[in-house]
PDB file of all heavy atoms in Angstrom:
ATOM      1  N   ALA A   1     107.193 108.208 104.113  1.00  0.00           N
ATOM      2  CA  ALA A   1     105.737 108.295 103.898  1.00  0.00           C
ATOM      3  C   ALA A   1     105.233 107.002 103.277  1.00  0.00           C
ATOM      4  O   ALA A   1     104.157 106.478 103.597  1.00  0.00           O
ATOM      5  CB  ALA A   1     105.382 109.509 103.031  1.00  0.00           C
ATOM      6  N   LYS A   2     106.018 106.454 102.328  1.00  0.00           N
ATOM      7  CA  LYS A   2     105.637 105.196 101.681  1.00  0.00           C
ATOM      8  C   LYS A   2     105.521 104.067 102.729  1.00  0.00           C
ATOM      9  O   LYS A   2     104.555 103.295 102.698  1.00  0.00           O
ATOM     10  CB  LYS A   2     106.683 104.822 100.588  1.00  0.00           C
ATOM     11  CG  LYS A   2     106.378 103.546  99.827  1.00  0.00           C
ATOM     12  CD  LYS A   2     107.396 103.367  98.739  1.00  0.00           C
ATOM     13  CE  LYS A   2     107.077 102.123  97.913  1.00  0.00           C
ATOM     14  NZ  LYS A   2     107.222 100.867  98.693  1.00  0.00           N
ATOM     15  N   MET A   3     106.496 103.957 103.576  1.00  0.00           N
ATOM     16  CA  MET A   3     106.468 102.902 104.598  1.00  0.00           C
ATOM     17  C   MET A   3     105.246 103.065 105.528  1.00  0.00           C
ATOM     18  O   MET A   3     104.552 102.123 105.844  1.00  0.00           O
ATOM     19  CB  MET A   3     107.775 102.917 105.429  1.00  0.00           C
ATOM     20  CG  MET A   3     107.801 101.885 106.531  1.00  0.00           C
ATOM     21  SD  MET A   3     109.422 101.780 107.318  1.00  0.00           S
ATOM     22  CE  MET A   3     109.564 103.386 108.081  1.00  0.00           C
ATOM     23  N   ALA A   4     105.028 104.325 105.976  1.00  0.00           N
ATOM     24  CA  ALA A   4     103.903 104.582 106.866  1.00  0.00           C
ATOM     25  C   ALA A   4     102.564 104.316 106.188  1.00  0.00           C
ATOM     26  O   ALA A   4     101.637 103.748 106.775  1.00  0.00           O
ATOM     27  CB  ALA A   4     103.975 106.009 107.437  1.00  0.00           C
ATOM     28  N   ARG A   5     102.487 104.759 104.920  1.00  0.00           N
ATOM     29  CA  ARG A   5     101.208 104.546 104.166  1.00  0.00           C
ATOM     30  C   ARG A   5     100.918 103.045 104.040  1.00  0.00           C
ATOM     31  O   ARG A   5      99.727 102.633 104.198  1.00  0.00           O
ATOM     32  CB  ARG A   5     101.360 105.201 102.802  1.00  0.00           C
ATOM     33  CG  ARG A   5     100.066 105.121 101.985  1.00  0.00           C
ATOM     34  CD  ARG A   5     100.182 105.938 100.708  1.00  0.00           C
ATOM     35  NE  ARG A   5     100.087 107.382 100.969  1.00  0.00           N
ATOM     36  CZ  ARG A   5     101.077 108.230 100.775  1.00  0.00           C
ATOM     37  NH1 ARG A   5     102.249 107.834 100.265  1.00  0.00           N
ATOM     38  NH2 ARG A   5     100.915 109.501 101.019  1.00  0.00           N
ATOM     39  N   GLU A   6     101.901 102.285 103.695  1.00  0.00           N
ATOM     40  CA  GLU A   6     101.685 100.852 103.535  1.00  0.00           C
ATOM     41  C   GLU A   6     101.210 100.213 104.827  1.00  0.00           C
ATOM     42  O   GLU A   6     100.294  99.342 104.850  1.00  0.00           O
ATOM     43  CB  GLU A   6     102.966 100.149 103.050  1.00  0.00           C
ATOM     44  CG  GLU A   6     103.324 100.501 101.618  1.00  0.00           C
ATOM     45  CD  GLU A   6     104.656  99.914 101.196  1.00  0.00           C
ATOM     46  OE1 GLU A   6     105.364  99.385 102.062  1.00  0.00           O
ATOM     47  OE2 GLU A   6     104.987 100.022  99.997  1.00  0.00           O
ATOM     48  N   LYS A   7     101.746 100.631 105.929  1.00  0.00           N
ATOM     49  CA  LYS A   7     101.354 100.078 107.218  1.00  0.00           C
ATOM     50  C   LYS A   7      99.921 100.467 107.585  1.00  0.00           C
ATOM     51  O   LYS A   7      99.110  99.614 107.959  1.00  0.00           O
ATOM     52  CB  LYS A   7     102.320 100.499 108.344  1.00  0.00           C
ATOM     53  CG  LYS A   7     101.990  99.938 109.705  1.00  0.00           C
ATOM     54  CD  LYS A   7     102.091  98.378 109.650  1.00  0.00           C
ATOM     55  CE  LYS A   7     101.636  97.763 110.935  1.00  0.00           C
ATOM     56  NZ  LYS A   7     101.785  96.267 110.916  1.00  0.00           N
ATOM     57  N   PHE A   8      99.613 101.745 107.476  1.00  0.00           N
ATOM     58  CA  PHE A   8      98.296 102.152 107.872  1.00  0.00           C
ATOM     59  C   PHE A   8      97.220 101.666 106.915  1.00  0.00           C
ATOM     60  O   PHE A   8      96.111 101.338 107.342  1.00  0.00           O
ATOM     61  CB  PHE A   8      98.231 103.687 108.027  1.00  0.00           C
ATOM     62  CG  PHE A   8      98.722 104.155 109.367  1.00  0.00           C
ATOM     63  CD1 PHE A   8     100.046 104.464 109.571  1.00  0.00           C
ATOM     64  CD2 PHE A   8      97.836 104.258 110.441  1.00  0.00           C
ATOM     65  CE1 PHE A   8     100.486 104.854 110.830  1.00  0.00           C
ATOM     66  CE2 PHE A   8      98.285 104.641 111.712  1.00  0.00           C
ATOM     67  CZ  PHE A   8      99.609 104.977 111.887  1.00  0.00           C
ATOM     68  N   GLU A   9      97.560 101.537 105.659  1.00  0.00           N
ATOM     69  CA  GLU A   9      96.584 100.942 104.734  1.00  0.00           C
ATOM     70  C   GLU A   9      96.298  99.467 105.067  1.00  0.00           C
ATOM     71  O   GLU A   9      95.193  98.996 104.918  1.00  0.00           O
ATOM     72  CB  GLU A   9      97.080 101.087 103.271  1.00  0.00           C
ATOM     73  CG  GLU A   9      96.959 102.501 102.743  1.00  0.00           C
ATOM     74  CD  GLU A   9      97.468 102.641 101.355  1.00  0.00           C
ATOM     75  OE1 GLU A   9      98.099 101.688 100.828  1.00  0.00           O
ATOM     76  OE2 GLU A   9      97.245 103.734 100.753  1.00  0.00           O
ATOM     77  N   SER A  10      97.322  98.769 105.557  1.00  0.00           N
ATOM     78  CA  SER A  10      97.143  97.397 105.987  1.00  0.00           C
ATOM     79  C   SER A  10      96.217  97.278 107.208  1.00  0.00           C
ATOM     80  O   SER A  10      95.594  96.263 107.445  1.00  0.00           O
ATOM     81  CB  SER A  10      98.485  96.736 106.306  1.00  0.00           C
ATOM     82  OG  SER A  10      98.968  97.133 107.546  1.00  0.00           O
ATOM     83  N   LEU A  11      96.130  98.400 107.957  1.00  0.00           N
ATOM     84  CA  LEU A  11      95.248  98.443 109.114  1.00  0.00           C
ATOM     85  C   LEU A  11      93.865  99.016 108.761  1.00  0.00           C
ATOM     86  O   LEU A  11      92.982  99.091 109.658  1.00  0.00           O
ATOM     87  CB  LEU A  11      95.889  99.320 110.207  1.00  0.00           C
ATOM     88  CG  LEU A  11      97.230  98.847 110.817  1.00  0.00           C
ATOM     89  CD1 LEU A  11      97.752  99.830 111.809  1.00  0.00           C
ATOM     90  CD2 LEU A  11      97.120  97.451 111.396  1.00  0.00           C
ATOM     91  N   GLY A  12      93.687  99.415 107.506  1.00  0.00           N
ATOM     92  CA  GLY A  12      92.351  99.928 107.073  1.00  0.00           C
ATOM     93  C   GLY A  12      92.242 101.430 107.055  1.00  0.00           C
ATOM     94  O   GLY A  12      91.090 101.909 106.951  1.00  0.00           O
ATOM     95  N   TYR A  13      93.370 102.142 107.121  1.00  0.00           N
ATOM     96  CA  TYR A  13      93.325 103.607 107.155  1.00  0.00           C
ATOM     97  C   TYR A  13      94.055 104.159 105.948  1.00  0.00           C
ATOM     98  O   TYR A  13      95.120 103.673 105.563  1.00  0.00           O
ATOM     99  CB  TYR A  13      93.935 104.133 108.444  1.00  0.00           C
ATOM    100  CG  TYR A  13      93.274 103.679 109.722  1.00  0.00           C
ATOM    101  CD1 TYR A  13      93.797 102.593 110.403  1.00  0.00           C
ATOM    102  CD2 TYR A  13      92.066 104.283 110.170  1.00  0.00           C
ATOM    103  CE1 TYR A  13      93.186 102.173 111.575  1.00  0.00           C
ATOM    104  CE2 TYR A  13      91.475 103.823 111.290  1.00  0.00           C
ATOM    105  CZ  TYR A  13      92.023 102.762 112.011  1.00  0.00           C
ATOM    106  OH  TYR A  13      91.405 102.320 113.159  1.00  0.00           O
ATOM    107  N   GLY A  14      93.523 105.268 105.360  1.00  0.00           N
ATOM    108  CA  GLY A  14      94.270 106.001 104.397  1.00  0.00           C
ATOM    109  C   GLY A  14      95.274 106.879 105.075  1.00  0.00           C
ATOM    110  O   GLY A  14      95.150 107.197 106.266  1.00  0.00           O
ATOM    111  N   LEU A  15      96.316 107.314 104.351  1.00  0.00           N
ATOM    112  CA  LEU A  15      97.349 108.151 104.927  1.00  0.00           C
ATOM    113  C   LEU A  15      97.779 109.217 103.940  1.00  0.00           C
ATOM    114  O   LEU A  15      98.076 108.930 102.773  1.00  0.00           O
ATOM    115  CB  LEU A  15      98.562 107.319 105.379  1.00  0.00           C
ATOM    116  CG  LEU A  15      99.672 108.070 106.066  1.00  0.00           C
ATOM    117  CD1 LEU A  15     100.251 107.264 107.267  1.00  0.00           C
ATOM    118  CD2 LEU A  15     100.768 108.440 105.124  1.00  0.00           C
ATOM    119  N   ASP A  16      97.789 110.443 104.410  1.00  0.00           N
ATOM    120  CA  ASP A  16      98.315 111.609 103.646  1.00  0.00           C
ATOM    121  C   ASP A  16      99.550 112.110 104.363  1.00  0.00           C
ATOM    122  O   ASP A  16      99.481 112.280 105.614  1.00  0.00           O
ATOM    123  CB  ASP A  16      97.248 112.694 103.551  1.00  0.00           C
ATOM    124  CG  ASP A  16      95.956 112.232 102.901  1.00  0.00           C
ATOM    125  OD1 ASP A  16      96.023 111.748 101.750  1.00  0.00           O
ATOM    126  OD2 ASP A  16      94.898 112.327 103.546  1.00  0.00           O
ATOM    127  N   SER A  17     100.593 112.340 103.614  1.00  0.00           N
ATOM    128  CA  SER A  17     101.814 112.890 104.248  1.00  0.00           C
ATOM    129  C   SER A  17     101.849 114.399 104.120  1.00  0.00           C
ATOM    130  O   SER A  17     101.604 114.942 103.041  1.00  0.00           O
ATOM    131  CB  SER A  17     103.066 112.278 103.593  1.00  0.00           C
ATOM    132  OG  SER A  17     104.211 112.705 104.277  1.00  0.00           O
ATOM    133  N   ILE A  18     102.118 115.060 105.177  1.00  0.00           N
ATOM    134  CA  ILE A  18     102.058 116.517 105.213  1.00  0.00           C
ATOM    135  C   ILE A  18     103.036 117.177 104.274  1.00  0.00           C
ATOM    136  O   ILE A  18     102.813 118.261 103.748  1.00  0.00           O
ATOM    137  CB  ILE A  18     102.234 117.045 106.683  1.00  0.00           C
ATOM    138  CG1 ILE A  18     101.727 118.476 106.762  1.00  0.00           C
ATOM    139  CG2 ILE A  18     103.665 116.880 107.159  1.00  0.00           C
ATOM    140  CD1 ILE A  18     101.597 118.962 108.223  1.00  0.00           C
ATOM    141  N   HIS A  19     104.137 116.479 103.987  1.00  0.00           N
ATOM    142  CA  HIS A  19     105.159 117.064 103.097  1.00  0.00           C
ATOM    143  C   HIS A  19     104.679 117.149 101.642  1.00  0.00           C
ATOM    144  O   HIS A  19     105.238 117.876 100.856  1.00  0.00           O
ATOM    145  CB  HIS A  19     106.463 116.317 103.188  1.00  0.00           C
ATOM    146  CG  HIS A  19     106.523 115.068 102.352  1.00  0.00           C
ATOM    147  ND1 HIS A  19     105.885 113.904 102.692  1.00  0.00           N
ATOM    148  CD2 HIS A  19     107.164 114.834 101.158  1.00  0.00           C
ATOM    149  CE1 HIS A  19     106.140 113.001 101.765  1.00  0.00           C
ATOM    150  NE2 HIS A  19     106.900 113.537 100.814  1.00  0.00           N
ATOM    151  N   GLU A  20     103.595 116.424 101.350  1.00  0.00           N
ATOM    152  CA  GLU A  20     103.043 116.453 100.023  1.00  0.00           C
ATOM    153  C   GLU A  20     101.983 117.550  99.834  1.00  0.00           C
ATOM    154  O   GLU A  20     101.520 117.768  98.730  1.00  0.00           O
ATOM    155  CB  GLU A  20     102.402 115.104  99.691  1.00  0.00           C
ATOM    156  CG  GLU A  20     103.379 113.942  99.700  1.00  0.00           C
ATOM    157  CD  GLU A  20     102.705 112.565  99.742  1.00  0.00           C
ATOM    158  OE1 GLU A  20     101.502 112.510 100.063  1.00  0.00           O
ATOM    159  OE2 GLU A  20     103.411 111.583  99.489  1.00  0.00           O
ATOM    160  N   SER A  21     101.610 118.219 100.947  1.00  0.00           N
ATOM    161  CA  SER A  21     100.591 119.216 100.903  1.00  0.00           C
ATOM    162  C   SER A  21     101.179 120.581 100.522  1.00  0.00           C
ATOM    163  O   SER A  21     102.182 120.994 101.098  1.00  0.00           O
ATOM    164  CB  SER A  21      99.894 119.324 102.235  1.00  0.00           C
ATOM    165  OG  SER A  21      98.996 120.421 102.248  1.00  0.00           O
ATOM    166  N   PRO A  22     100.499 121.343  99.667  1.00  0.00           N
ATOM    167  CA  PRO A  22     100.991 122.719  99.353  1.00  0.00           C
ATOM    168  C   PRO A  22     100.809 123.650 100.520  1.00  0.00           C
ATOM    169  O   PRO A  22     101.408 124.726 100.568  1.00  0.00           O
ATOM    170  CB  PRO A  22     100.156 123.114  98.130  1.00  0.00           C
ATOM    171  CG  PRO A  22      98.898 122.267  98.224  1.00  0.00           C
ATOM    172  CD  PRO A  22      99.356 120.974  98.843  1.00  0.00           C
ATOM    173  N   ASP A  23      99.916 123.297 101.451  1.00  0.00           N
ATOM    174  CA  ASP A  23      99.591 124.154 102.590  1.00  0.00           C
ATOM    175  C   ASP A  23      99.562 123.299 103.857  1.00  0.00           C
ATOM    176  O   ASP A  23      98.500 122.765 104.226  1.00  0.00           O
ATOM    177  CB  ASP A  23      98.260 124.863 102.389  1.00  0.00           C
ATOM    178  CG  ASP A  23      97.986 125.909 103.453  1.00  0.00           C
ATOM    179  OD1 ASP A  23      98.629 125.853 104.521  1.00  0.00           O
ATOM    180  OD2 ASP A  23      97.126 126.765 103.229  1.00  0.00           O
ATOM    181  N   PRO A  24     100.723 123.070 104.538  1.00  0.00           N
ATOM    182  CA  PRO A  24     100.736 122.192 105.681  1.00  0.00           C
ATOM    183  C   PRO A  24      99.795 122.601 106.798  1.00  0.00           C
ATOM    184  O   PRO A  24      99.168 121.754 107.446  1.00  0.00           O
ATOM    185  CB  PRO A  24     102.226 122.311 106.158  1.00  0.00           C
ATOM    186  CG  PRO A  24     102.966 122.679 104.950  1.00  0.00           C
ATOM    187  CD  PRO A  24     102.059 123.561 104.178  1.00  0.00           C
ATOM    188  N   THR A  25      99.640 123.911 107.006  1.00  0.00           N
ATOM    189  CA  THR A  25      98.702 124.351 108.091  1.00  0.00           C
ATOM    190  C   THR A  25      97.283 123.961 107.752  1.00  0.00           C
ATOM    191  O   THR A  25      96.516 123.521 108.627  1.00  0.00           O
ATOM    192  CB  THR A  25      98.801 125.891 108.210  1.00  0.00           C
ATOM    193  OG1 THR A  25     100.124 126.250 108.559  1.00  0.00           O
ATOM    194  CG2 THR A  25      97.848 126.378 109.307  1.00  0.00           C
ATOM    195  N   GLU A  26      96.879 124.093 106.488  1.00  0.00           N
ATOM    196  CA  GLU A  26      95.520 123.671 106.090  1.00  0.00           C
ATOM    197  C   GLU A  26      95.382 122.161 106.206  1.00  0.00           C
ATOM    198  O   GLU A  26      94.294 121.683 106.608  1.00  0.00           O
ATOM    199  CB  GLU A  26      95.262 124.074 104.626  1.00  0.00           C
ATOM    200  CG  GLU A  26      93.874 123.794 104.117  1.00  0.00           C
ATOM    201  CD  GLU A  26      92.765 124.575 104.799  1.00  0.00           C
ATOM    202  OE1 GLU A  26      93.085 125.489 105.610  1.00  0.00           O
ATOM    203  OE2 GLU A  26      91.600 124.295 104.532  1.00  0.00           O
ATOM    204  N   ALA A  27      96.439 121.409 105.944  1.00  0.00           N
ATOM    205  CA  ALA A  27      96.383 119.971 106.090  1.00  0.00           C
ATOM    206  C   ALA A  27      96.131 119.619 107.574  1.00  0.00           C
ATOM    207  O   ALA A  27      95.359 118.677 107.880  1.00  0.00           O
ATOM    208  CB  ALA A  27      97.699 119.328 105.610  1.00  0.00           C
ATOM    209  N   VAL A  28      96.780 120.314 108.486  1.00  0.00           N
ATOM    210  CA  VAL A  28      96.517 120.067 109.909  1.00  0.00           C
ATOM    211  C   VAL A  28      95.111 120.436 110.259  1.00  0.00           C
ATOM    212  O   VAL A  28      94.400 119.723 111.016  1.00  0.00           O
ATOM    213  CB  VAL A  28      97.533 120.869 110.775  1.00  0.00           C
ATOM    214  CG1 VAL A  28      97.144 120.831 112.249  1.00  0.00           C
ATOM    215  CG2 VAL A  28      98.944 120.329 110.599  1.00  0.00           C
ATOM    216  N   ARG A  29      94.628 121.547 109.743  1.00  0.00           N
ATOM    217  CA  ARG A  29      93.277 122.025 110.064  1.00  0.00           C
ATOM    218  C   ARG A  29      92.199 120.996 109.630  1.00  0.00           C
ATOM    219  O   ARG A  29      91.182 120.874 110.302  1.00  0.00           O
ATOM    220  CB  ARG A  29      93.022 123.346 109.369  1.00  0.00           C
ATOM    221  CG  ARG A  29      91.733 124.057 109.853  1.00  0.00           C
ATOM    222  CD  ARG A  29      91.468 125.303 109.089  1.00  0.00           C
ATOM    223  NE  ARG A  29      91.095 125.074 107.705  1.00  0.00           N
ATOM    224  CZ  ARG A  29      89.855 124.725 107.320  1.00  0.00           C
ATOM    225  NH1 ARG A  29      88.910 124.568 108.245  1.00  0.00           N
ATOM    226  NH2 ARG A  29      89.573 124.509 106.073  1.00  0.00           N
ATOM    227  N   LYS A  30      92.484 120.293 108.537  1.00  0.00           N
ATOM    228  CA  LYS A  30      91.497 119.331 108.000  1.00  0.00           C
ATOM    229  C   LYS A  30      91.724 117.890 108.488  1.00  0.00           C
ATOM    230  O   LYS A  30      90.923 117.007 108.176  1.00  0.00           O
ATOM    231  CB  LYS A  30      91.525 119.354 106.494  1.00  0.00           C
ATOM    232  CG  LYS A  30      91.038 120.658 105.864  1.00  0.00           C
ATOM    233  CD  LYS A  30      91.099 120.575 104.353  1.00  0.00           C
ATOM    234  CE  LYS A  30      90.507 121.818 103.710  1.00  0.00           C
ATOM    235  NZ  LYS A  30      90.567 121.758 102.222  1.00  0.00           N
ATOM    236  N   ALA A  31      92.812 117.638 109.231  1.00  0.00           N
ATOM    237  CA  ALA A  31      93.164 116.306 109.604  1.00  0.00           C
ATOM    238  C   ALA A  31      92.148 115.640 110.549  1.00  0.00           C
ATOM    239  O   ALA A  31      91.625 116.296 111.441  1.00  0.00           O
ATOM    240  CB  ALA A  31      94.542 116.279 110.238  1.00  0.00           C
ATOM    241  N   GLU A  32      91.903 114.362 110.279  1.00  0.00           N
ATOM    242  CA  GLU A  32      91.075 113.557 111.203  1.00  0.00           C
ATOM    243  C   GLU A  32      91.889 113.025 112.379  1.00  0.00           C
ATOM    244  O   GLU A  32      91.382 112.781 113.479  1.00  0.00           O
ATOM    245  CB  GLU A  32      90.442 112.373 110.421  1.00  0.00           C
ATOM    246  CG  GLU A  32      89.540 112.762 109.279  1.00  0.00           C
ATOM    247  CD  GLU A  32      89.068 111.519 108.594  1.00  0.00           C
ATOM    248  OE1 GLU A  32      88.654 110.559 109.244  1.00  0.00           O
ATOM    249  OE2 GLU A  32      89.099 111.518 107.336  1.00  0.00           O
ATOM    250  N   ALA A  33      93.154 112.752 112.113  1.00  0.00           N
ATOM    251  CA  ALA A  33      94.105 112.286 113.125  1.00  0.00           C
ATOM    252  C   ALA A  33      95.515 112.618 112.672  1.00  0.00           C
ATOM    253  O   ALA A  33      95.746 112.740 111.455  1.00  0.00           O
ATOM    254  CB  ALA A  33      93.944 110.781 113.334  1.00  0.00           C
ATOM    255  N   ILE A  34      96.459 112.740 113.592  1.00  0.00           N
ATOM    256  CA  ILE A  34      97.825 113.050 113.254  1.00  0.00           C
ATOM    257  C   ILE A  34      98.774 111.983 113.798  1.00  0.00           C
ATOM    258  O   ILE A  34      98.599 111.559 114.950  1.00  0.00           O
ATOM    259  CB  ILE A  34      98.216 114.426 113.863  1.00  0.00           C
ATOM    260  CG1 ILE A  34      97.417 115.545 113.208  1.00  0.00           C
ATOM    261  CG2 ILE A  34      99.714 114.713 113.707  1.00  0.00           C
ATOM    262  CD1 ILE A  34      97.598 116.892 113.863  1.00  0.00           C
ATOM    263  N   PHE A  35      99.690 111.545 112.951  1.00  0.00           N
ATOM    264  CA  PHE A  35     100.749 110.618 113.364  1.00  0.00           C
ATOM    265  C   PHE A  35     102.085 111.249 113.068  1.00  0.00           C
ATOM    266  O   PHE A  35     102.397 111.570 111.914  1.00  0.00           O
ATOM    267  CB  PHE A  35     100.595 109.288 112.671  1.00  0.00           C
ATOM    268  CG  PHE A  35     101.778 108.364 112.865  1.00  0.00           C
ATOM    269  CD1 PHE A  35     102.349 108.189 114.128  1.00  0.00           C
ATOM    270  CD2 PHE A  35     102.320 107.648 111.818  1.00  0.00           C
ATOM    271  CE1 PHE A  35     103.462 107.344 114.318  1.00  0.00           C
ATOM    272  CE2 PHE A  35     103.403 106.805 111.968  1.00  0.00           C
ATOM    273  CZ  PHE A  35     103.978 106.667 113.225  1.00  0.00           C
TER     274      PHE A  35
END
């Protein structure tokens, strides 16, 4: 997640990793995009 976050932030996007979410299904429901 750290590697992916650094890359996407360099492209101008924030990144949330699903493994950090207490409710992965809710994280998917609220996601703007999935990688």
Side-chain angles (χ1 to χ4, degrees):
K2 181 176 183 293
M3 179 173 64
R5 182 174 287 116
E6 289 174 353
K7 182 60 184 182
F8 276 90
E9 286 180 350
S10 76
L11 299 177
Y13 301 98
L15 183 140
D16 302 302
S17 185
I18 197 168
H19 83 284
E20 299 166 344
S21 172
D23 188 341
T25 300
E26 183 68 6
V28 170
R29 191 184 69 80
K30 292 181 176 179
E32 298 177 46
I34 295 173
F35 170 45

